[in-house]
Amino acid sequence: ETVMTQSPTSLSTSIGERVTLNCKASQSVGIDVDWFQQTPGQSPKLLIYGASNRHTGVPDRFTGSGFGRDFTLTISNMEAEDLAVYYCLQYGSNPWTFGGGTKLELK
Amino acid sequence: EVQILETGGGLVKPGGSLRLSCATSGFNFNDYLMNWVRQAPGKGLEWVGQIRNKNYNYATYYAESLEGRVTISRDDSKSSVYLQVSSLRAEDTAIYYCTRSYYYYDGTYYYVMDAWGQGVSVTVSS
């Protein structure tokens, strides 16, 4: 199976900062990566599909990029509501697999 | 409005089995691939498996960690999908989410997992 490794596992950030989250696949998955946001007590929400396509209603401060094995989710101007755990998911090969997540916290 | 509602959770003894149901409404169920995703307490997301729609011959795929213990089925007439897990262990304790995915083409193919249920809690304990 394709193992997705997210880094860092947690990140302390400030409001207004630019934040970069990483996801690395153990083998190439093309652009077959989604990104999800999960706030405490809530179900995950889709942010990005196909590595770089923003889902309907997602603010443009969220940007996804990458191809092959290396993927990035960037939040350009951190807001308080962005404090959450972020997960990548690869669907390039079965079984689909999630990364372990990155938790964004306030400094 | 898209609605996805999981039911059937609760306390189950080790070695037992569970059957979760996921009832949906507000969209054409027949067009969608359906997934189960779980989350152990304080842990990350784990994709459990998927059942595709009629266009893909209802093909099923499962996580390697659960292969042999899990079965996903669907009833298009009821817009519902089901998850059966046998030989339950403490490690199966989790919130189980039902999600939908669709196959999207705009010159490039994507799978888009765009809707999740609220999840149902399963505890495996004696």
Side-chain angles (χ1 to χ4, degrees), chain A residues 77-99:
Chain A
N77 187 1
M78 184 74 187
E79 296 192 7
E81 65 186 30
D82 302 335
L83 295 173
V85 182
Y86 293 83
Y87 296 94
C88 58
L89 166 72
Q90 72 78 24
Y91 54 86
S93 65
N94 283 303
W96 294 10
T97 46
F98 283 96

Side-chain angles (χ1 to χ4, degrees), chain A residues 12-19 75-79 107:
Chain A
S12 294
T13 181
S14 301
I15 302 305
E17 266 193 9
R18 178 185 179 90
V19 173
I75 308 174
S76 60
N77 187 1
M78 184 74 187
E79 296 192 7
K107 278 182 183 172

Side-chain angles (χ1 to χ4, degrees), chain B residues 94-110:
Chain B
I95 294 175
Y96 286 74
Y97 295 100
C98 177
T99 82
R100 76 173 191 182
S101 294
Y102 63 91
Y103 200 44
Y104 173 63
Y105 178 74
D106 68 352
T108 303
Y109 290 98
Y110 310 101

Side-chain angles (χ1 to χ4, degrees), chain A residues 5 7 12 21 25 33 36 41-42 56 72 76 86 88 97-98 101 106:
Chain A
T5 303
S7 62
S12 294
L21 285 60
V33 168
F36 297 88
Q42 299 297 311
T56 305
T72 298
S76 60
Y86 293 83
C88 58
T97 46
F98 283 96
L106 270 182

Side-chain angles (χ1 to χ4, degrees), chain B residues 35-100:
Chain B
N35 308 278
W36 287 94
V37 176
R38 70 181 183 180
Q39 187 168 35
K43 302 296 184 182
L45 302 174
E46 179 182 20
W47 183 82
V48 171
Q50 178 185 89
I51 185 164
R52 298 196 172 182
N53 60 9
K54 187 176 181 179
N55 291 346
Y56 297 93
N57 296 316
Y58 302 113
T60 54
Y61 302 92
Y62 302 115
E64 290 185 359
S65 62
L66 285 152
E67 193 80 54
R69 296 198 295 128
V70 63
T71 303
I72 297 176
S73 58
R74 63 190 287 162
D75 185 337
D76 290 350
S77 69
K78 295 182 179 179
S79 299
S80 294
V81 61
Y82 308 96
L83 172 70
Q84 287 184 256
V85 185
S86 60
S87 303
L88 285 164
R89 310 159 183 166
E91 309 87 84
D92 295 316
T93 294
I95 294 175
Y96 286 74
Y97 295 100
C98 177
T99 82
R100 76 173 191 182

Side-chain angles (χ1 to χ4, degrees), chain A residues 21-80:
Chain A
L21 285 60
N22 302 295
C23 183
K24 189 175 187 72
S26 60
Q27 60 186 315
S28 177
V29 293
I31 60 167
D32 296 344
V33 168
D34 291 347
W35 287 92
F36 297 88
Q37 176 195 64
Q38 187 179 33
T39 52
Q42 299 297 311
S43 302
K45 295 180 181 178
L46 176 67
L47 295 175
I48 302 289
Y49 65 91
S52 62
N53 300 276
R54 218 173 281 118
H55 183 51
T56 305
V58 174
D60 60 7
R61 64 180 180 275
F62 291 94
T63 302
S65 63
F67 176 83
R69 295 183 60 202
D70 292 294
F71 300 89
T72 298
L73 176 68
T74 301
I75 308 174
S76 60
N77 187 1
M78 184 74 187
E79 296 192 7

Side-chain angles (χ1 to χ4, degrees), chain A residues 3-14:
Chain A
V3 176
M4 303 296 280
T5 303
Q6 289 189 241
S7 62
T9 53
S10 65
L11 185 59
S12 294
T13 181
S14 301

